[in-house]
Amino acid sequence: MVRNIVIFGGSSHQQLTETICSHLGVPPAKILLSKFSVGETRVEIGESVRGKDVFIVQSGGGKINDHLMELLITVSACKTASAQRVTVILPLFPYSRQSDLPYNKVGAPLARMPYTAGQDKKYTFETMPQTPYLGSQEDSALSGVPDGLGKKLANLQTADSPTVNGNHLGDSQPKSQDFATNRRPTTESTASDKSDYSNENASVTSLEAINGRQEANEALAHSSKTPEFQPQRGYKQWVAQAGKLVADLLTCAGTDHVITMDLHDPQYQGFFDIPVDNLYGRLLLRKYIQYSIPDYQEAVIVSPDAGGAKRATAIADSFNMKFALIHKERRPTQISDRQNASMMLVGDVAERTAILIDDLADTSNTITRAAKLLKKAGATTVYALVTHGVLSGDAIERINASALDKVVVTNSVDQKDHKRRCPKLEVLEVGNVFAEAIRRVHHGESISALFQYD
């Protein structure tokens, strides 16, 4: 039994909280979680946390926005009640997939191609069009603008530019010896400035300049709007990086430590100014492969995309198994067109058992299409081992109708309803892993043993 510790469970995954408390021999702390009629979240702590080590268990599945706000209010309430330390247990970190850059780069151009008349310009995010200047080809090519308007505006700009000794500023500057010869004493500068100012005003307010401005304003008023910028492949409108925002919210609420599992992007830990422990679900997946898959040494570990290749190869190397990769290539015809990517298998799975390894399954589109490709390539049995089984939308129906023989997930997200609807689903327990991490953190022990699987 662990003393001087308080464990609160959020409304996202109460079964996981009970499993952790049962492993540690500590009863769950009393907490009231409810909502007002207007929809605001209400949190009321039912026992004293003064000077105690507080752990709050809240996963990122289900109604993620409500669960996140509930977690932030609970953390703030514990800090206000003088808790010694507040540690947040997030088996599935919310908004962890929104830490990437808001656009997909396709590579900078090596050289600018010369522009030819009659050729449509195609701009990308890396080669944005420059602002057209007066008298340029872009200015003359605007639809609805009368011919010769650019020349008139250019002449008008030249007329408006200030003059020095009869020369425009845009012209070549006088040589050094001419400048030294024409230099005037300081006592005459005031009178000369006044005369130059009067001459400049006289040139600007000339009748020709006024007429030019009137024609320009009338032409621009009747001209059509500038054509909208049409981005090419690789460009994406700016979106907020919500991952960084969630990290700041947790820190500002008073969180002292975060424990999570299998972040979608390990570099996400750099968003925090507080300690973050990213546990791995690799141990659970390895044990399942070793003890539940027959002839696992003859099987092939497959990564459904290039992003998870490092995760899959770590398991393949530990068992000295063969490895295969599925390459996804997206070539949409339009920016708003989200077509399914074409998939290509790199490796041999013929007459073998294929084991898909991934960190998260949301709509299950990736693993189901990968299973279809593997069966088409000659795989006898296809397993899908996923750490976080969110399975939102029609994911369950898609799995039931797919070529997958079995889908193995952890209970980092509540799987009670998913288990009832999907006979192919098998759930692994992660409560004991988080319980051991909590025990080690509470006693000041190292948790590096939880990262060693060999």
Side-chain angles (χ1 to χ4, degrees), residues 137-155:
Q137 294 181 359
E138 290 84 354
D139 176 62
S140 60
L142 294 178
S143 60
V145 180
D147 297 336
L149 176 59
K151 296 181 179 179
K152 293 182 179 180
L153 292 178
N155 296 332

Side-chain angles (χ1 to χ4, degrees), residues 292-314:
S292 301
I293 297 180
D295 298 331
Y296 68 93
Q297 293 181 347
E298 300 297 328
V300 181
I301 301 294
V302 183
S303 175
D305 51 19
K310 186 176 181 180
R311 184 185 308 107
T313 52

Side-chain angles (χ1 to χ4, degrees), residues 123 126 130 165 192 231 234 253 256 270 303 339 369 373 382 421 440:
Y123 300 105
E126 289 78 12
Q130 62 180 358
N165 296 330
S192 63
D256 299 308
S303 175
Q339 296 179 347
R369 297 186 68 233
L373 180 63
V382 179
R421 296 166 52 196
R440 290 175 177 269

Side-chain angles (χ1 to χ4, degrees), residues 99-132:
S99 60
D100 300 333
L101 292 177
Y103 59 87
N104 298 324
K105 299 187 69 176
V106 296
L110 298 179
R112 293 181 180 272
M113 300 300 295
Y115 176 77
T116 58
Q119 180 182 1
D120 295 336
K121 288 188 176 182
K122 295 183 179 180
Y123 300 105
T124 62
F125 183 80
E126 289 78 12
T127 58
M128 294 182 64
Q130 62 180 358
T131 303

Side-chain angles (χ1 to χ4, degrees), residues 27-217:
K30 297 179 181 179
I31 184 173
L32 175 62
L33 303 173
S34 61
K35 282 184 174 295
F36 292 99
S37 59
V38 72
E40 297 179 354
T41 302
R42 178 193 178 191
V43 177
E44 183 177 347
I45 297 176
E47 57 184 76
S48 176
V49 296
R50 181 178 295 273
K52 294 185 179 181
D53 199 2
V54 178
F55 293 85
I56 304 173
V57 182
Q58 183 79 301
S59 188
K63 300 179 180 179
I64 184 170
N65 294 326
D66 292 340
H67 296 161
L68 178 60
M69 182 56 63
E70 181 180 286
L71 174 62
L72 296 174
I73 297 176
T74 305
V75 171
S76 179
C78 292
K79 296 297 289 188
T80 305
S82 302
Q84 181 181 3
R85 181 176 60 180
V86 177
T87 302
V88 172
I89 310 297
L90 285 167
L92 173 58
F93 202 98
Y95 291 89
S96 60
R97 290 187 293 174
Q98 297 193 31
S99 60
D100 300 333
L101 292 177
Y103 59 87
N104 298 324
K105 299 187 69 176
V106 296
L110 298 179
R112 293 181 180 272
M113 300 300 295
Y115 176 77
T116 58
Q119 180 182 1
D120 295 336
K121 288 188 176 182
K122 295 183 179 180
Y123 300 105
T124 62
F125 183 80
E126 289 78 12
T127 58
M128 294 182 64
Q130 62 180 358
T131 303
Y133 56 88
L134 297 178
S136 62
Q137 294 181 359
E138 290 84 354
D139 176 62
S140 60
L142 294 178
S143 60
V145 180
D147 297 336
L149 176 59
K151 296 181 179 179
K152 293 182 179 180
L153 292 178
N155 296 332
L156 178 60
Q157 182 182 13
T158 305
D160 290 343
S161 61
T163 58
V164 177
N165 296 330
N167 296 326
H168 293 285
L169 290 180
D171 299 336
S172 60
Q173 297 293 335
K175 298 182 180 180
S176 58
Q177 57 268 23
D178 296 337
F179 178 76
T181 305
N182 297 330
R183 184 175 181 180
R184 291 171 291 182
T186 308
T187 55
E188 300 177 1
S189 60
T190 306
S192 63
D193 292 343
K194 291 181 180 180
S195 61
D196 292 341
Y197 182 77
S198 61
N199 294 333
E200 180 182 353
N201 290 339
S203 61
V204 172
T205 57
S206 61
L207 181 60
E208 181 180 357
I210 295 176
N211 295 334
R213 285 196 183 91
Q214 291 178 354
E215 293 179 2
N217 293 334

